[in-house]
Amino acid sequence: MDLPLARAIASRIDVLTEAGSTNALLREAAADARDWPHLSVLLTENQTAGRGRLDRSWVAPAGASLAVSVLLRRLPAEIEARGWVPLAAGVAMTDAVAEQLPHSAVSLKWPNDVMVEGRKICGVLAEATGEAVIVGTGVNTAMTAAQLPVPTATSFAVLGVEVDADRLLATYLRRLDEVVSALARTGDAVSSGLHDETSRRCATIGQEVRVSLPGDTTLDGTATRLDASGRLVVVSSGVEHPISAGDVVHVRPAAV
């Protein structure tokens, strides 16, 4: 895979013919900070044992998707600010996808999905390893309609677009480094502008949602905003509930 644009931005890029999990492989390599510096990348078009949130499996036909894992070392000193890294990756990938789909509505579904016209084209999974964070993304590139895992998914191919993988990766890496660097420099998402950038791209805000919470409980309400910690604030029966984790389903648009 020829990636001149992305290689000009990344510290290191290793392209694998096949990988079980790029996140797992990069986590093993991350102990070597000299050979694997900030903004090192592992990627493959054939990931056979990928994982999503809540340890769910993520598998796609060979050549139909792009699995990308990025090692971030220049992080905020504040642990709370590091909680914004998955959302920062979502913002960066939303911008990268939107660049190649200028006539489509591309948005971020809290907390970790990039959506095109309301259908998922990419997921994000961030994992801490020592003092670093690995951000994994899986982008549906050449997946056909028959290969989509669920009816609520989509791909560049289904949308009639042949993705420029080098451009997609380069834009994603540049934006990811920009927003995480600003977060590290200021120490919080509000001051860095990340809170505002995420809120503007977040399609979940303003939606009627159903949130599946730990303990097999659910919460129905209206998603109104993101708080300073990146939690989704859901109003139910007049009470605000800050949600830090859970599966969110968009039930229907909120009444205007």
Side-chain angles (χ1 to χ4, degrees):
M1 185 183 296
D2 193 22
L3 301 167
L5 297 176
R7 291 187 187 280
I9 297 169
S11 302
R12 170 177 180 166
I13 295 181
D14 282 18
V15 180
L16 306 178
T17 303
E18 178 181 301
S21 164
T22 55
N23 264 27
L25 290 174
L26 191 53
R27 188 168 58 249
E28 291 176 5
D32 187 345
R34 184 179 64 113
D35 286 346
W36 294 89
H38 174 74
L39 221 62
S40 291
V41 180
L42 269 183
L43 66 91
T44 185
E45 290 184 307
N46 186 17
Q47 181 168 249
T48 59
R51 293 187 301 110
R53 289 181 64 247
L54 306 178
D55 208 33
R56 291 169 178 153
S57 62
W58 188 86
V59 180
S65 65
L66 187 64
V68 180
S69 294
V70 183
L71 182 63
L72 300 174
R73 295 191 185 276
R74 299 171 191 163
L75 298 166
E78 299 79 5
I79 297 300
E80 183 174 325
R82 293 187 186 189
W84 277 89
V85 170
L87 290 168
V91 166
M93 186 57 81
T94 297
D95 290 354
V97 170
E99 185 177 65
Q100 299 200 34
L101 297 171
H103 304 298
S104 298
V106 184
S107 59
L108 179 63
K109 176 176 174 283
W110 189 92
N112 69 329
D113 292 338
V114 178
M115 315 289 283
V116 180
E117 304 294 350
R119 296 179 182 274
K120 180 177 176 178
I121 197 169
C122 174
V124 178
L125 177 67
E127 302 177 279
T129 176
E131 288 301 308
V133 170
I134 295 169
V135 180
T137 55
V139 188
N140 298 335
T141 51
M143 201 174 289
T144 66
Q147 292 172 330
L148 293 173
V150 291
T152 52
T154 191
S155 71
F156 280 100
V158 168
L159 294 164
V161 174
E162 184 176 350
V163 67
D164 182 336
D166 186 24
R167 182 181 168 202
L168 180 83
L169 185 58
T171 300
Y172 169 61
L173 292 174
R174 186 186 69 251
R175 290 289 292 129
L176 178 60
D177 195 34
E178 287 173 353
V179 293
V180 173
S181 293
L183 183 64
R185 186 169 57 252
T186 63
D188 73 272
V190 174
S191 299
S192 73
L194 179 55
H195 180 277
D196 181 59
E197 288 203 64
T198 307
S199 297
R200 284 191 286 108
R201 291 163 178 78
C202 186
T204 306
I205 296 174
Q207 293 273 350
E208 292 293 323
V209 297
R210 175 165 295 138
V211 186
S212 298
L213 300 169
D216 294 325
T217 61
T218 59
L219 174 69
D220 292 341
T222 304
T224 59
R225 61 186 175 87
L226 300 180
D227 70 9
S229 298
R231 296 178 299 182
L232 182 69
V233 178
V234 177
V235 175
S236 179
S237 301
V239 178
E240 288 193 340
H241 300 266
I243 306 299
S244 57
D247 280 351
V248 176
V249 175
H250 293 180
V251 178
R252 58 180 174 80
V256 179

PDB file of all heavy atoms in Angstrom, residues 7 12 14 16 26 37 63 84 87 92-93 102 135 154 175 177 180 193-194 202 214 222 228 239 247 254:
ATOM      1  N   ARG A   7       2.670   8.929   5.343  1.00  0.00           N
ATOM      2  CA  ARG A   7       4.035   8.733   5.848  1.00  0.00           C
ATOM      3  C   ARG A   7       4.726  10.063   6.135  1.00  0.00           C
ATOM      4  O   ARG A   7       5.646  10.117   6.966  1.00  0.00           O
ATOM      5  CB  ARG A   7       4.845   7.900   4.854  1.00  0.00           C
ATOM      6  CG  ARG A   7       4.387   6.442   4.774  1.00  0.00           C
ATOM      7  CD  ARG A   7       5.307   5.607   3.912  1.00  0.00           C
ATOM      8  NE  ARG A   7       4.779   4.262   3.697  1.00  0.00           N
ATOM      9  CZ  ARG A   7       4.862   3.264   4.576  1.00  0.00           C
ATOM     10  NH1 ARG A   7       5.482   3.468   5.723  1.00  0.00           N
ATOM     11  NH2 ARG A   7       4.341   2.081   4.300  1.00  0.00           N
ATOM     12  N   ARG A  12       5.999   6.683  12.139  1.00  0.00           N
ATOM     13  CA  ARG A  12       6.292   5.358  11.609  1.00  0.00           C
ATOM     14  C   ARG A  12       4.983   4.742  11.155  1.00  0.00           C
ATOM     15  O   ARG A  12       3.959   4.862  11.843  1.00  0.00           O
ATOM     16  CB  ARG A  12       6.943   4.493  12.694  1.00  0.00           C
ATOM     17  CG  ARG A  12       7.080   3.019  12.335  1.00  0.00           C
ATOM     18  CD  ARG A  12       7.790   2.233  13.418  1.00  0.00           C
ATOM     19  NE  ARG A  12       7.905   0.828  13.054  1.00  0.00           N
ATOM     20  CZ  ARG A  12       8.693  -0.057  13.667  1.00  0.00           C
ATOM     21  NH1 ARG A  12       9.447   0.345  14.682  1.00  0.00           N
ATOM     22  NH2 ARG A  12       8.747  -1.319  13.282  1.00  0.00           N
ATOM     23  N   ASP A  14       3.669   0.918   9.732  1.00  0.00           N
ATOM     24  CA  ASP A  14       3.876  -0.465   9.322  1.00  0.00           C
ATOM     25  C   ASP A  14       2.571  -0.990   8.745  1.00  0.00           C
ATOM     26  O   ASP A  14       1.530  -0.963   9.421  1.00  0.00           O
ATOM     27  CB  ASP A  14       4.293  -1.329  10.517  1.00  0.00           C
ATOM     28  CG  ASP A  14       5.768  -1.150  10.871  1.00  0.00           C
ATOM     29  OD1 ASP A  14       6.361  -0.142  10.441  1.00  0.00           O
ATOM     30  OD2 ASP A  14       6.301  -2.015  11.588  1.00  0.00           O
ATOM     31  N   LEU A  16       0.572  -4.180   7.462  1.00  0.00           N
ATOM     32  CA  LEU A  16       0.581  -5.631   7.611  1.00  0.00           C
ATOM     33  C   LEU A  16      -0.360  -6.279   6.601  1.00  0.00           C
ATOM     34  O   LEU A  16      -1.476  -5.777   6.364  1.00  0.00           O
ATOM     35  CB  LEU A  16       0.143  -6.013   9.023  1.00  0.00           C
ATOM     36  CG  LEU A  16       0.933  -5.360  10.163  1.00  0.00           C
ATOM     37  CD1 LEU A  16       0.360  -5.788  11.502  1.00  0.00           C
ATOM     38  CD2 LEU A  16       2.411  -5.702  10.080  1.00  0.00           C
ATOM     39  N   LEU A  26       0.139  -3.403  18.460  1.00  0.00           N
ATOM     40  CA  LEU A  26       0.772  -2.134  18.791  1.00  0.00           C
ATOM     41  C   LEU A  26       0.982  -2.007  20.300  1.00  0.00           C
ATOM     42  O   LEU A  26       1.968  -1.405  20.750  1.00  0.00           O
ATOM     43  CB  LEU A  26      -0.082  -0.977  18.267  1.00  0.00           C
ATOM     44  CG  LEU A  26       0.560   0.411  18.285  1.00  0.00           C
ATOM     45  CD1 LEU A  26       1.906   0.414  17.591  1.00  0.00           C
ATOM     46  CD2 LEU A  26      -0.375   1.434  17.639  1.00  0.00           C
ATOM     47  N   PRO A  37       7.701   5.699  18.417  1.00  0.00           N
ATOM     48  CA  PRO A  37       7.439   7.005  19.034  1.00  0.00           C
ATOM     49  C   PRO A  37       5.986   7.445  18.866  1.00  0.00           C
ATOM     50  O   PRO A  37       5.152   6.720  18.292  1.00  0.00           O
ATOM     51  CB  PRO A  37       8.374   7.937  18.260  1.00  0.00           C
ATOM     52  CG  PRO A  37       8.495   7.294  16.908  1.00  0.00           C
ATOM     53  CD  PRO A  37       8.439   5.806  17.158  1.00  0.00           C
ATOM     54  N   GLY A  63      -9.741  -7.120   2.670  1.00  0.00           N
ATOM     55  CA  GLY A  63      -9.753  -6.079   1.658  1.00  0.00           C
ATOM     56  C   GLY A  63     -10.962  -5.174   1.673  1.00  0.00           C
ATOM     57  O   GLY A  63     -11.046  -4.236   0.869  1.00  0.00           O
ATOM     58  N   TRP A  84     -10.883  12.316  26.979  1.00  0.00           N
ATOM     59  CA  TRP A  84     -11.372  12.920  25.735  1.00  0.00           C
ATOM     60  C   TRP A  84     -10.688  12.333  24.497  1.00  0.00           C
ATOM     61  O   TRP A  84     -11.100  12.631  23.363  1.00  0.00           O
ATOM     62  CB  TRP A  84     -11.146  14.426  25.768  1.00  0.00           C
ATOM     63  CG  TRP A  84     -12.224  15.175  26.491  1.00  0.00           C
ATOM     64  CD1 TRP A  84     -12.262  15.458  27.821  1.00  0.00           C
ATOM     65  CD2 TRP A  84     -13.414  15.726  25.924  1.00  0.00           C
ATOM     66  NE1 TRP A  84     -13.410  16.158  28.119  1.00  0.00           N
ATOM     67  CE2 TRP A  84     -14.128  16.337  26.968  1.00  0.00           C
ATOM     68  CE3 TRP A  84     -13.938  15.767  24.630  1.00  0.00           C
ATOM     69  CZ2 TRP A  84     -15.354  16.974  26.759  1.00  0.00           C
ATOM     70  CZ3 TRP A  84     -15.147  16.398  24.417  1.00  0.00           C
ATOM     71  CH2 TRP A  84     -15.841  16.993  25.470  1.00  0.00           C
ATOM     72  N   LEU A  87     -12.935  10.670  21.893  1.00  0.00           N
ATOM     73  CA  LEU A  87     -13.758  11.659  21.198  1.00  0.00           C
ATOM     74  C   LEU A  87     -12.908  12.478  20.233  1.00  0.00           C
ATOM     75  O   LEU A  87     -13.363  12.857  19.152  1.00  0.00           O
ATOM     76  CB  LEU A  87     -14.455  12.564  22.210  1.00  0.00           C
ATOM     77  CG  LEU A  87     -15.553  11.878  23.030  1.00  0.00           C
ATOM     78  CD1 LEU A  87     -15.991  12.757  24.199  1.00  0.00           C
ATOM     79  CD2 LEU A  87     -16.752  11.534  22.157  1.00  0.00           C
ATOM     80  N   ALA A  92     -11.479  13.607  14.553  1.00  0.00           N
ATOM     81  CA  ALA A  92     -10.494  13.529  13.475  1.00  0.00           C
ATOM     82  C   ALA A  92     -10.971  12.632  12.342  1.00  0.00           C
ATOM     83  O   ALA A  92     -10.833  12.984  11.156  1.00  0.00           O
ATOM     84  CB  ALA A  92      -9.166  13.012  14.031  1.00  0.00           C
ATOM     85  N   MET A  93     -11.555  11.482  12.675  1.00  0.00           N
ATOM     86  CA  MET A  93     -12.017  10.579  11.624  1.00  0.00           C
ATOM     87  C   MET A  93     -13.273  11.120  10.940  1.00  0.00           C
ATOM     88  O   MET A  93     -13.460  10.929   9.728  1.00  0.00           O
ATOM     89  CB  MET A  93     -12.263   9.185  12.187  1.00  0.00           C
ATOM     90  CG  MET A  93     -12.599   8.147  11.110  1.00  0.00           C
ATOM     91  SD  MET A  93     -11.337   7.970   9.806  1.00  0.00           S
ATOM     92  CE  MET A  93     -10.149   6.903  10.643  1.00  0.00           C
ATOM     93  N   PRO A 102     -18.153  14.917   0.377  1.00  0.00           N
ATOM     94  CA  PRO A 102     -18.570  16.304   0.575  1.00  0.00           C
ATOM     95  C   PRO A 102     -20.073  16.536   0.439  1.00  0.00           C
ATOM     96  O   PRO A 102     -20.576  17.562   0.906  1.00  0.00           O
ATOM     97  CB  PRO A 102     -17.797  17.060  -0.510  1.00  0.00           C
ATOM     98  CG  PRO A 102     -17.512  16.033  -1.568  1.00  0.00           C
ATOM     99  CD  PRO A 102     -17.296  14.755  -0.821  1.00  0.00           C
ATOM    100  N   VAL A 135      -5.130   4.245  19.847  1.00  0.00           N
ATOM    101  CA  VAL A 135      -6.456   4.495  19.286  1.00  0.00           C
ATOM    102  C   VAL A 135      -6.622   3.629  18.046  1.00  0.00           C
ATOM    103  O   VAL A 135      -5.872   3.759  17.072  1.00  0.00           O
ATOM    104  CB  VAL A 135      -6.647   5.972  18.917  1.00  0.00           C
ATOM    105  CG1 VAL A 135      -8.044   6.178  18.332  1.00  0.00           C
ATOM    106  CG2 VAL A 135      -6.465   6.863  20.131  1.00  0.00           C
ATOM    107  N   THR A 154     -22.752   1.214   6.842  1.00  0.00           N
ATOM    108  CA  THR A 154     -22.542   1.590   5.446  1.00  0.00           C
ATOM    109  C   THR A 154     -21.056   1.529   5.148  1.00  0.00           C
ATOM    110  O   THR A 154     -20.236   1.198   6.019  1.00  0.00           O
ATOM    111  CB  THR A 154     -23.112   2.996   5.150  1.00  0.00           C
ATOM    112  OG1 THR A 154     -23.117   3.212   3.734  1.00  0.00           O
ATOM    113  CG2 THR A 154     -22.301   4.089   5.818  1.00  0.00           C
ATOM    114  N   ARG A 175      -5.277  15.624  11.874  1.00  0.00           N
ATOM    115  CA  ARG A 175      -6.298  16.175  12.771  1.00  0.00           C
ATOM    116  C   ARG A 175      -6.182  15.574  14.163  1.00  0.00           C
ATOM    117  O   ARG A 175      -6.343  16.276  15.170  1.00  0.00           O
ATOM    118  CB  ARG A 175      -7.692  15.927  12.199  1.00  0.00           C
ATOM    119  CG  ARG A 175      -8.008  16.734  10.981  1.00  0.00           C
ATOM    120  CD  ARG A 175      -8.189  18.223  11.322  1.00  0.00           C
ATOM    121  NE  ARG A 175      -9.384  18.438  12.102  1.00  0.00           N
ATOM    122  CZ  ARG A 175      -9.430  19.117  13.247  1.00  0.00           C
ATOM    123  NH1 ARG A 175      -8.334  19.640  13.766  1.00  0.00           N
ATOM    124  NH2 ARG A 175     -10.573  19.282  13.887  1.00  0.00           N
ATOM    125  N   ASP A 177      -3.501  14.426  15.665  1.00  0.00           N
ATOM    126  CA  ASP A 177      -2.350  15.027  16.342  1.00  0.00           C
ATOM    127  C   ASP A 177      -2.645  16.467  16.755  1.00  0.00           C
ATOM    128  O   ASP A 177      -2.264  16.898  17.840  1.00  0.00           O
ATOM    129  CB  ASP A 177      -1.131  14.975  15.423  1.00  0.00           C
ATOM    130  CG  ASP A 177       0.171  15.249  16.163  1.00  0.00           C
ATOM    131  OD1 ASP A 177       0.273  14.867  17.344  1.00  0.00           O
ATOM    132  OD2 ASP A 177       1.072  15.850  15.562  1.00  0.00           O
ATOM    133  N   VAL A 180      -5.288  16.404  19.842  1.00  0.00           N
ATOM    134  CA  VAL A 180      -4.710  15.845  21.066  1.00  0.00           C
ATOM    135  C   VAL A 180      -3.584  16.745  21.576  1.00  0.00           C
ATOM    136  O   VAL A 180      -3.431  16.935  22.793  1.00  0.00           O
ATOM    137  CB  VAL A 180      -4.222  14.404  20.835  1.00  0.00           C
ATOM    138  CG1 VAL A 180      -3.466  13.888  22.055  1.00  0.00           C
ATOM    139  CG2 VAL A 180      -5.406  13.486  20.541  1.00  0.00           C
ATOM    140  N   GLY A 193     -10.754  23.748  22.821  1.00  0.00           N
ATOM    141  CA  GLY A 193     -11.723  23.813  21.733  1.00  0.00           C
ATOM    142  C   GLY A 193     -12.293  22.465  21.359  1.00  0.00           C
ATOM    143  O   GLY A 193     -13.217  22.375  20.537  1.00  0.00           O
ATOM    144  N   LEU A 194     -11.760  21.377  21.949  1.00  0.00           N
ATOM    145  CA  LEU A 194     -12.231  20.039  21.595  1.00  0.00           C
ATOM    146  C   LEU A 194     -13.684  19.830  22.007  1.00  0.00           C
ATOM    147  O   LEU A 194     -14.455  19.175  21.298  1.00  0.00           O
ATOM    148  CB  LEU A 194     -11.333  18.982  22.236  1.00  0.00           C
ATOM    149  CG  LEU A 194     -11.711  17.521  21.978  1.00  0.00           C
ATOM    150  CD1 LEU A 194     -11.804  17.212  20.496  1.00  0.00           C
ATOM    151  CD2 LEU A 194     -10.709  16.585  22.671  1.00  0.00           C
ATOM    152  N   CYS A 202     -21.452  16.163  16.857  1.00  0.00           N
ATOM    153  CA  CYS A 202     -22.159  15.067  17.523  1.00  0.00           C
ATOM    154  C   CYS A 202     -23.639  15.025  17.161  1.00  0.00           C
ATOM    155  O   CYS A 202     -24.429  15.873  17.576  1.00  0.00           O
ATOM    156  CB  CYS A 202     -21.995  15.196  19.036  1.00  0.00           C
ATOM    157  SG  CYS A 202     -22.692  13.787  19.942  1.00  0.00           S
ATOM    158  N   PRO A 214     -24.796  -0.304  32.574  1.00  0.00           N
ATOM    159  CA  PRO A 214     -24.360  -1.493  33.316  1.00  0.00           C
ATOM    160  C   PRO A 214     -25.461  -1.965  34.266  1.00  0.00           C
ATOM    161  O   PRO A 214     -26.221  -1.166  34.805  1.00  0.00           O
ATOM    162  CB  PRO A 214     -23.141  -0.986  34.095  1.00  0.00           C
ATOM    163  CG  PRO A 214     -22.628   0.165  33.289  1.00  0.00           C
ATOM    164  CD  PRO A 214     -23.846   0.823  32.706  1.00  0.00           C
ATOM    165  N   THR A 222     -33.747  12.586  26.445  1.00  0.00           N
ATOM    166  CA  THR A 222     -33.231  13.443  25.386  1.00  0.00           C
ATOM    167  C   THR A 222     -31.778  13.779  25.678  1.00  0.00           C
ATOM    168  O   THR A 222     -31.446  14.260  26.763  1.00  0.00           O
ATOM    169  CB  THR A 222     -34.036  14.757  25.296  1.00  0.00           C
ATOM    170  OG1 THR A 222     -35.413  14.456  25.121  1.00  0.00           O
ATOM    171  CG2 THR A 222     -33.552  15.605  24.133  1.00  0.00           C
ATOM    172  N   ALA A 228     -18.259  18.920  30.609  1.00  0.00           N
ATOM    173  CA  ALA A 228     -16.835  19.239  30.487  1.00  0.00           C
ATOM    174  C   ALA A 228     -15.946  17.999  30.514  1.00  0.00           C
ATOM    175  O   ALA A 228     -14.789  18.054  30.097  1.00  0.00           O
ATOM    176  CB  ALA A 228     -16.426  20.199  31.597  1.00  0.00           C
ATOM    177  N   VAL A 239     -34.874  15.275  34.847  1.00  0.00           N
ATOM    178  CA  VAL A 239     -33.630  15.112  35.608  1.00  0.00           C
ATOM    179  C   VAL A 239     -32.468  14.876  34.645  1.00  0.00           C
ATOM    180  O   VAL A 239     -32.579  14.077  33.706  1.00  0.00           O
ATOM    181  CB  VAL A 239     -33.733  13.940  36.604  1.00  0.00           C
ATOM    182  CG1 VAL A 239     -32.423  13.754  37.354  1.00  0.00           C
ATOM    183  CG2 VAL A 239     -34.889  14.159  37.571  1.00  0.00           C
ATOM    184  N   ASP A 247     -24.236   1.811  25.783  1.00  0.00           N
ATOM    185  CA  ASP A 247     -24.660   1.811  24.392  1.00  0.00           C
ATOM    186  C   ASP A 247     -25.807   2.791  24.213  1.00  0.00           C
ATOM    187  O   ASP A 247     -26.769   2.775  24.976  1.00  0.00           O
ATOM    188  CB  ASP A 247     -25.110   0.407  23.967  1.00  0.00           C
ATOM    189  CG  ASP A 247     -23.928  -0.496  23.631  1.00  0.00           C
ATOM    190  OD1 ASP A 247     -22.797   0.022  23.566  1.00  0.00           O
ATOM    191  OD2 ASP A 247     -24.155  -1.690  23.418  1.00  0.00           O
ATOM    192  N   ALA A 254     -35.485  14.589  18.469  1.00  0.00           N
ATOM    193  CA  ALA A 254     -36.256  15.298  19.487  1.00  0.00           C
ATOM    194  C   ALA A 254     -37.194  16.296  18.854  1.00  0.00           C
ATOM    195  O   ALA A 254     -36.936  16.848  17.777  1.00  0.00           O
ATOM    196  CB  ALA A 254     -35.295  16.018  20.443  1.00  0.00           C
TER     197      ALA A 254
END
